[in-house]
Amino acid sequence: MPAAEVEIDAELVGRLLEAQCPELAGRPLSLVANGWDNTIFRLGDDLCVRLPRRQVAVQLIRNENRWLPLLASRVSVPVPAPVYVGEPGEGFAWPWSVCRWIEGVVASEVPPPQRRSLAPGLGAFFRALHVPAPSDAPRNPVRGVALSERSPAFYERLHAVPDASELTAMWEELVAVPQWQGPPVWVHGDPHPANILIGQSGLAGVLDFGDLTAGDPATDLAAGWFVFDEPGRRSFREHLGDIDDDTWERARGWALNIGTAIVAHTDDNPRMAQVGRHVLEQLLV
């Protein structure tokens, strides 16, 4: 996982809150996660603070701050739309945000057979999300694009991935699948189980829209391999509605693309390393 480029601690977060939204200052602050791009603190019982920990994540959080309020109105499960958008200050050079805390268990902490209850809700979520995006929607060069554009990066990381020859043959088959012919639709872009919350009745929320973009919906349908085992994947596809075979095959390609990236770059993050191993296992069954 990339190293943080700035030091973020509770004292800094407290100063930002005191200076910019003092009505929230003084609430208990506790570190939740140092993720790939953002550091997250829980703020009291019902809010959290998200701050980019790398320069490359700054535009991503700007995209979330702009577009998530709109997308939140389209989908039927909670997403981390900001309730306050913070500006640089107090020695912190980048934008940040305060969001609602969404209750639930991160799906990566639940065994795959127990994730099958997510299939109806996650299928409905993607059906609602995958509508044509406006012309000024974000463009992400590593999500939503033609699979062939990811070939150089895929081949570069094969040295760090097991079963490289079998996965190479699979990739060469999948990049030949016809490309998406529809309009660019909204794409979450990072559909792994650490970004999905499960509750007692199924899907409780979808997190981390940093890779939000417009493009091929197959990127998100890679969740079939990221989140589920084979029975769960069948149920997920059924709840997606009318998904053609080419799109489902490209989704398999996106699972392979993102899965190998996770395996190659998460030696220091056991939870994400397990996510990557699960994807490759599902692709090879």
Side-chain angles (χ1 to χ4, degrees), residues 142-143 147 149-162 164 167-168 171 253-265 280:
V142 299
R143 296 289 191 269
L147 271 176
E149 295 184 27
R150 305 308 305 146
S151 283
F154 174 82
Y155 289 120
E156 284 176 8
R157 58 179 172 260
L158 280 179
H159 70 280
V161 177
L167 295 176
T168 298
W171 180 256
W254 276 103
L256 176 56
N257 173 51
I258 303 172
T260 53
I262 291 174
V263 168
H265 298 297
L280 299 191

Side-chain angles (χ1 to χ4, degrees), residues 174-223:
L174 294 171
V175 294
V177 173
Q179 296 182 22
W180 174 245
Q181 299 301 313
V185 302
W186 280 116
V187 174
H188 174 279
D190 204 13
H192 61 68
N195 285 337
I196 295 168
L197 295 177
I198 187 169
Q200 291 185 348
S201 59
L203 183 64
V206 178
L207 308 177
D208 195 350
F209 285 69
D211 279 315
L212 182 70
T213 189
D216 182 358
T219 308
D220 285 344
L221 306 190

Side-chain angles (χ1 to χ4, degrees), residues 16-227:
L16 287 166
L17 292 169
E18 182 66 42
Q20 299 188 33
C21 48
E23 67 275 13
L24 299 179
R27 287 185 170 209
L29 273 171
S30 57
L31 179 64
V32 175
N34 279 306
W36 194 276
D37 292 321
N38 297 299
T39 295
I40 303 172
F41 283 82
R42 190 163 184 175
L43 178 62
D45 293 330
D46 59 338
L47 298 173
C48 65
V49 185
R50 300 180 74 240
L51 308 95
R53 62 195 290 272
R54 303 192 297 145
Q55 174 70 53
V56 71
V58 172
Q59 186 57 48
L60 306 185
I61 203 165
R62 287 186 179 131
N63 291 340
E64 291 189 23
N65 290 343
R66 177 180 179 187
W67 293 106
L68 270 183
L70 169 68
L71 296 178
S73 69
R74 293 201 52 86
V75 298
S76 59
V77 297
V79 298
V83 299
Y84 178 82
V85 175
E87 300 295 334
E90 302 301 314
F92 187 72
W94 299 328
W96 51 282
S97 61
V98 178
C99 306
R100 296 288 180 195
W101 179 261
I102 305 173
E103 292 290 348
V105 177
V106 176
S108 58
E109 298 178 0
V110 177
Q114 296 179 26
R115 302 177 195 165
R116 296 172 191 169
S117 66
L118 290 167
L122 198 58
F125 171 81
F126 285 132
R127 288 201 314 271
L129 180 67
H130 291 162
V131 298
S135 59
D136 58 343
R139 291 294 189 270
N140 187 327
V142 299
R143 296 289 191 269
V145 298
L147 271 176
S148 58
E149 295 184 27
R150 305 308 305 146
S151 283
F154 174 82
Y155 289 120
E156 284 176 8
R157 58 179 172 260
L158 280 179
H159 70 280
V161 177
D163 302 303
S165 60
E166 191 169 355
L167 295 176
T168 298
M170 185 184 302
W171 180 256
E172 292 171 352
E173 171 191 340
L174 294 171
V175 294
V177 173
Q179 296 182 22
W180 174 245
Q181 299 301 313
V185 302
W186 280 116
V187 174
H188 174 279
D190 204 13
H192 61 68
N195 285 337
I196 295 168
L197 295 177
I198 187 169
Q200 291 185 348
S201 59
L203 183 64
V206 178
L207 308 177
D208 195 350
F209 285 69
D211 279 315
L212 182 70
T213 189
D216 182 358
T219 308
D220 285 344
L221 306 190
W225 290 264
F226 269 100
V227 178

